[in-house]
Amino acid sequence: MLFENWKENLEPLIDKYKGRKHPLHYNNTYQLLIMVILSAQDSDANINNITIPFFEKYSNLESISNSNIEEITPYFTKVKNYPTKTTWIFEIAKLLKTDNNIPINLIDLVALKGIGRKSANVILRETNQKTEGIIVDLHVIRVAPRIGLTPKYEDGNKIEKLLMQQLPYEIWNEIGMAFSFLGREICRPTNPKCNDCPINIHCNYFKNLNQ
Ligand code: SF4
């Protein structure tokens, strides 16, 4: 398939979700960094909720680095895998010291504990930095193979690599979140609402349904 074709085929999807606010309710890069670490294997809604009192007390990395793990842990006990995530957050605060030192490129972001390529791509996109990859979360891992863009893999990095080979760079920044929103709202794990999907005529799953 030519690059141009996918750009055109996926345009209705990008148009549908362009400008949609990220589901994590962050106010600055510091909050986004903390929230993406906490949200791994947890729900965005839970993280939005539990971080309200945390950010009231800890408004930047410096305030965390001046605290200790025992003091910050109680804020995160409702988060999946919270002991490890709390340790990562504390270690990052100690390492970076201030919010100004939060990296703005993929290599330096993924060097931080608890930040994988998905989280790094989210941070780069949300802070308007140079696009270096495609956001691949659990929804994209389901949606991309259904469309026929990739084989089925559980490893998001594999899916990302294949998407980066298939899709033109101009749409990398938008398409990951667009697939993610599609997966959250329409392309659900069971009974996807294909008739409501703006790219159904280009989707293998849909084509197979109608054969
Ligand atoms: S047509 Fe159906 S299976 Fe294909 S992407 Fe849209 S909702 Fe998902």
Side-chain angles (χ1 to χ4, degrees):
M1 184 70 70
L2 294 171
F3 275 6
E4 285 74 19
N5 289 350
W6 276 118
K7 185 170 184 256
E8 199 175 297
N9 296 350
L10 297 173
E11 208 168 274
L13 182 65
I14 290 176
D15 285 349
K16 181 175 171 68
Y17 292 114
K18 204 164 189 156
R20 175 80 62 96
K21 207 178 172 309
H22 193 278
L24 289 173
H25 298 164
Y26 67 92
N27 291 312
N28 53 46
T29 310
Y30 153 71
Q31 292 187 357
L32 180 60
L33 176 73
I34 302 299
M35 293 173 97
V36 293
I37 294 168
L38 293 171
S39 66
Q41 282 148 26
D42 208 313
S43 74
D44 293 335
N46 184 38
I47 303 310
N48 287 337
N49 212 17
I50 64 100
T51 46
I52 293 171
F54 179 75
F55 291 141
E56 276 172 14
K57 176 101 194 269
Y58 299 94
S59 59
N60 51 38
L61 286 176
E62 206 170 353
S63 59
I64 299 177
S65 71
N66 290 333
S67 180
N68 58 58
I69 291 186
E70 290 69 34
E71 274 184 35
I72 61 175
T73 297
Y75 290 91
F76 300 144
T77 51
K78 288 185 183 148
V79 178
K80 217 167 187 182
N81 197 18
Y82 75 88
T84 308
K85 291 176 180 173
T86 307
T87 307
W88 286 339
I89 287 170
F90 188 68
E91 287 181 11
I92 288 173
K94 282 278 180 204
L95 177 77
L96 299 179
K97 295 185 178 65
T98 79
D99 298 354
N100 291 337
N101 292 331
I102 296 173
I104 51 168
N105 65 73
L106 194 119
I107 285 186
D108 291 338
L109 277 167
V110 298
L112 298 176
K113 289 187 175 168
I115 301 285
R117 284 190 63 98
K118 183 206 79 177
S119 299
N121 283 324
V122 168
I123 292 170
L124 294 179
R125 178 179 187 273
E126 295 294 308
T127 58
N128 298 315
Q129 304 300 330
K130 182 172 177 274
T131 305
E132 296 193 52
I134 297 174
I135 296 167
V136 175
D137 62 12
L138 285 178
H139 303 287
V140 184
I141 287 174
R142 177 176 70 258
V143 171
R146 276 183 177 170
I147 296 170
L149 280 165
T150 71
K152 264 191 182 178
Y153 290 123
E154 287 185 11
D155 180 350
N157 288 351
K158 264 191 187 174
I159 300 258
E160 185 194 0
K161 199 172 168 197
L162 291 170
L163 289 177
M164 286 165 72
Q165 287 166 3
Q166 289 262 56
L167 304 177
Y169 179 75
E170 306 101 90
I171 67 168
W172 286 9
N173 192 39
E174 290 295 334
I175 197 64
M177 275 317 295
F179 282 150
S180 178
F181 282 124
L182 182 74
R184 289 163 200 256
E185 296 177 359
I186 295 174
C187 194
R188 300 296 301 154
T190 52
N191 303 321
K193 295 181 255 173
C194 299
N195 288 328
D196 298 336
C197 178
I199 51 165
N200 55 15
I201 56 169
H202 305 295
C203 174
N204 275 357
Y205 181 101
F206 186 69
K207 284 177 201 159
N208 290 337
L209 278 184
N210 291 294
Q211 266 175 6

